[in-house]
Amino acid sequence: MAIRNTGPLLSRLRDLMKLKYLGEPIHGYIVFSEDAHQNEYISACDQRRAFITGFTGSAGVALITQTEALLWIDGRYFIQAEQQLDENWTQMKMGLPETPTLSEWLTKNMKSGSRIGVDADLITYSEWRRINKEIKHKGINLVALDTNLIDRMWSDRPATPSNLVKPLNIKFSGKKCGEKVEEVRQKMNEKNATILLITALDEIAWLLNLRGSDIIYNPVFYSYVIVTHTDVHLFVDDKKLSIAVSEHFKSENLSVIIQPYEKLHSFFSDILASDSCKTGNVWVSAKSSYNLVNMVPKSNRISKPTPIPLMKAIKNSVEINGLKNAHIKDGAALCSYFAWLEENISQGNLTEISAAEKLLSFRSLQEDFVSLSFETISSSGPNSGIIHYAPTPETDRKLSVDEMYLCDSGGQFLDGTTDVTRTLHFGTPSNYQKECFTRVFKGQANLAMSKFPHKILGNCLDSYARRFLWDVGLDYMHGTGHGIGSYLNVHEGPMGISWREIPNDPGLQSGMFLSNEPGYYEKDFGIRLEDIVLVKDSITDYKMPQRPFLQFETVTLCPIQTKMLVIDLLTDKEIDYLNEYHSKCLQTLTPLLEKLGDQRAITWLKKETQIIQR
Amino acid sequence: MAIRNTGPLLSRLRDLMKLKYLGEPIHGYIVFSEDAHQNEYISACDQRRAFITGFTGSAGVALITQTEALLWIDGRYFIQAEQQLDENWTQMKMGLPETPTLSEWLTKNMKSGSRIGVDADLITYSEWRRINKEIKHKGINLVALDTNLIDRMWSDRPATPSNLVKPLNIKFSGKKCGEKVEEVRQKMNEKNATILLITALDEIAWLLNLRGSDIIYNPVFYSYVIVTHTDVHLFVDDKKLSIAVSEHFKSENLSVIIQPYEKLHSFFSDILASDSCKTGNVWVSAKSSYNLVNMVPKSNRISKPTPIPLMKAIKNSVEINGLKNAHIKDGAALCSYFAWLEENISQGNLTEISAAEKLLSFRSLQEDFVSLSFETISSSGPNSGIIHYAPTPETDRKLSVDEMYLCDSGGQFLDGTTDVTRTLHFGTPSNYQKECFTRVFKGQANLAMSKFPHKILGNCLDSYARRFLWDVGLDYMHGTGHGIGSYLNVHEGPMGISWREIPNDPGLQSGMFLSNEPGYYEKDFGIRLEDIVLVKDSITDYKMPQRPFLQFETVTLCPIQTKMLVIDLLTDKEIDYLNEYHSKCLQTLTPLLEKLGDQRAITWLKKETQIIQR
């Protein structure tokens, strides 16, 4: 079910690779998924990797040589890639013992002296360094090309979006941007940094209390920011800025110099040559592009993450209340949806896409709703086994009482971003499906109930969510928890919960929000249960000196389908947890559903939150 | 209770720091714990950090400036350092939120332009790079001194030991050294390496199937090895080598060129200038000294760990059987000891040291016993709260039925190394002590029962051992598991089980042996339960494609004191685990105790392994 024949494209690309770049042809060309701001979700104009491979998943790295076309993808996408790649492409399944990494493949298959081309605006500095380090011992080198070979072939490439930027009211942000910039400058002082370059769009949106819509689902706008001790330079297409933005800066005590977006590289180069740069350090995250980081002399370069990801991750009290409120509204919308679905699914004419549209309509009824926070994963039967599936007209499947239905969705509200997954069966699940579901639930519940020391890495908690699957030889090939923004990106760092090490993870701290989302996937069905949890101080029976403890509070409110549970596999503690959770769902969501007048949802919620007993 | 006044030493050192090194005085001097081979246990001649600080623990870093003397230590040593440091020293408790790291302290307290002296033979390359990277942005630099300032003041410094080296019989090693070297060369080929320098003494002992006794508890000998595609150079004082060693090399098909130990640096320098070096890479671990690694040009340097730690960690079937057998003998010795202790403790004349001597005498009775594998931690009451305490005449405490007794000990047997901890109370423990003990036991049992995917990092399992302490706000400030040698070092890498990330951890693999040792420590008592576990393939209810599962097998055999357990806090699964474990102890150890004719131990073992019921 490949969506296009990539043969002609690949042969044109291979011709381009034979031209002379910096003196010589290149022997391989790497196409990453990221844009110049290393966004996870990218605009249509930046979908270069999808253009050349046909694979539309959010993550993946393509390597094209004169004889091979390889795509490295992670476990979320094994099945999707199989469906989308044509016979010109070889799928490299990351994480499996027999799959070499990109670097391992290069060192094993390319001759010494090989030149591997990369667009150095579209690769992070850290990624460049890592790959180069891994391949140079075989005499293979990355080559920074000043032209993008995909763009040269991409005749109908969409234009770069340029939508209006809007201020975020202080009642949602909780802190003026003038204050945020001062805090950033304090962090700069600690590192003797006189210049900070910010390239990540969500960091800029957070810092300036602005939101945009250049990228679907992410309320950000194309821009760069340079902070010095005296100035804040915002590089942005000024057509995006209304008078509201300058009034916003004034009311939040920040003076901002607006510069054209395209001027960033030349301005940065000038400022690097200036005196202020000589007396202090220049801070630019190694997650910025190789081109930008490489402009800064090593001797006074700080390449750690900017201070913003951690500041942004620790929500203030306004944001905490906002996120909780957003999840209440989101929970009500989900109840309306699942109640409607249960009533209508047996008619047999609902599909993954039409159902997702109905869900959007319920979310849209909620106050301060802006948009979805990512493409809804409305998936039935085999499609639910595809971890990051989203239905397309080609794959759209009829919903049925004979299949599991997995729905992973979220909204952007002015007061917060949501992300929730529930898996339901509207007919009779098999015992095996119930066992798998129960083990996924046990993992989620045990992670939710855990207590842990301040700043412990999420890696240390990941196995709580997997243990009951591991007990029987099962696992899921994705992380357990990611950070989430406050009306910002649905995935944000710097912390996370995963078996994979997260570079520069500052550990779990009070005020952070993360997802808690174990799952299990097979060819014929998939299960995922995803809640958002708040990290907060914990009161424990005992106390150790200087070792504060934390715990989670689940803020997502939507019933877990109890008919999917094998009660005998649950402990008393897990049963109590679920009953208390359901009672909270019932109490919190009913008033809002009453206000909306959705009697069907109220009835469904009451039924789904009935006390379970051994 | 400081053991010496370090004032005069510090003032002499500060005078030495004012002399000119590479043109200028130094403003700080760092003294690490390691010797030139980065051994954990070091000879008396290398105890430079203990000499200058008075603190005798195995780990710690000292920094001396003109006004400050600081010692960074980890949680194991907080109490011991408090007892041993005099008023000239400030204790820097690592891991506590308010404690800056060495680098943070330097950047906050030293002026730009400060020069911090280090003996570059005694610091690893990776440590040098890390520190230098962290401090250079403040204009502070490490300076490699070609003289060791401590040695210049240390008039009665002991001589370097030079004991006889002995071959390890193939019936214990399970693989000829000729074969091991060939396997190492294959790993070198994969990285296009023509030269491999080995500086870690246990790697050399393992590779050559030789054992020594230059370092107490570690059966290793001072040496370096260089492996090329044609030769193996062993740099060692040839007085250590008997004819047995050359016969050993012959019988195991390895030709070895013996060179003087002192010649390593000059030979390495010569070989780096030779042609063979120009056509390939030079492999020297970043854990080797800064001086040695820095000799290799960056362009063809491989600074990853040598291939040996992983090869050494995955035991072959001969080693697996040997280690199991060593633990049976060790368990019998412990039963003899604890039975004797129970009979004699109430007399009131036993002390930590006299008891430890008795334990040694029981161990010595066992076949192929060579020595202890580390200094016995025989600790009573408050001393048991000191994580890596070992009794000295000054601290030696009478054993009493009113206090907890923690005994952490191990032996070197020709067939394997052991390391085991049991905590007992011979009187009436408090309810709180019992609760803490029970939570420690639950952690150990749940880790022991876990199943997990092949190559998962130990970090992901660490919380299994802590969870029941975390539940009530308690924790222990040390890792949960370390690798252990096969008649080699009691602590070995490259894997481990810890909340701290272990650099270059290859993940858990079948054939590895690790400790499983949660604990809990307060001022008045300490608890630790330590078993050694083997990682082995697991048979699970279900199977995922290409995702083999592993589990642990506990090889340590010695009862857990059931009177310390609060049965109500245990699950049925945990009770079953303990009963099965005790039944295995009884069945396996009784025949050996019968052979030894120790009726007291047999009676004690029977009593201590009685089935417990809810």
Side-chain angles (χ1 to χ4, degrees), chain B residues 12 51 150-158:
Chain B
R12 282 190 57 200
F51 174 80
I150 304 296
D151 292 356
R152 286 183 60 174
M153 308 175 357
W154 195 357
S155 47
D156 56 346
R157 189 175 157 222

Side-chain angles (χ1 to χ4, degrees), chain A residues 98 435 460 463 542 546, chain B residues 98 435 460 463 542 546-547:
Chain A
E98 74 277 14
E435 176 178 348
C460 294
S463 54
Y542 307 112
Q546 298 161 308
Chain B
E98 74 277 15
E435 176 177 349
C460 294
S463 55
Y542 307 113
Q546 297 160 309
R547 197 139 178 87

Side-chain angles (χ1 to χ4, degrees), chain B residues 407-431:
Chain B
C407 184
D408 185 350
S409 67
Q412 294 289 5
F413 300 85
L414 289 179
D415 49 0
T417 305
T418 67
D419 182 3
V420 51
T421 310
R422 287 295 179 266
T423 305
L424 301 99
H425 200 299
F426 295 98
T428 310
S430 74
N431 286 339

Side-chain angles (χ1 to χ4, degrees), chain A residues 34-39 41-48 157-165 198-202 204-205 211-216 218-225 234-238 240-241 259-262:
Chain A
E34 286 78 13
D35 61 16
H37 299 274
Q38 286 73 49
N39 289 304
Y41 297 94
I42 54 179
S43 288
C45 63
D46 287 318
Q47 309 264 8
R48 297 177 184 89
R157 188 174 159 222
T160 306
S162 190
N163 301 324
L164 211 61
V165 172
I198 311 173
T199 63
L201 302 188
D202 64 333
I204 295 170
R211 296 296 186 268
S213 58
D214 286 346
I215 293 188
I216 189 165
N218 291 357
V220 297
F221 52 99
Y222 289 112
S223 54
Y224 293 97
V225 160
L234 170 61
F235 297 83
V236 63
D237 177 357
D238 66 2
K240 295 178 175 185
L241 306 181
Q259 306 227 41
Y261 178 78
E262 299 71 24

Side-chain angles (χ1 to χ4, degrees), chain B residues 223-244:
Chain B
S223 55
Y224 293 96
V225 160
I226 289 178
V227 180
T228 69
H229 280 296
T230 50
D231 297 319
V232 173
H233 301 265
L234 171 60
F235 298 82
V236 65
D237 178 356
D238 66 0
K239 286 197 299 293
K240 295 180 175 183
L241 306 181
S242 68
I243 187 78

Side-chain angles (χ1 to χ4, degrees), chain A residues 292-333:
Chain A
L292 284 170
V293 179
N294 206 34
M295 286 168 74
V296 184
K298 263 194 172 178
S299 55
N300 64 336
R301 180 202 298 163
I302 299 170
S303 55
K304 294 201 176 232
T306 81
I308 297 176
L310 181 57
M311 297 167 74
K312 173 161 61 65
I314 298 176
K315 270 63 176 174
N316 61 45
S317 60
V318 170
E319 291 171 318
I320 289 175
N321 289 333
L323 270 156
K324 284 184 177 181
N325 194 46
H327 282 83
I328 294 170
K329 294 182 287 189
D330 212 54

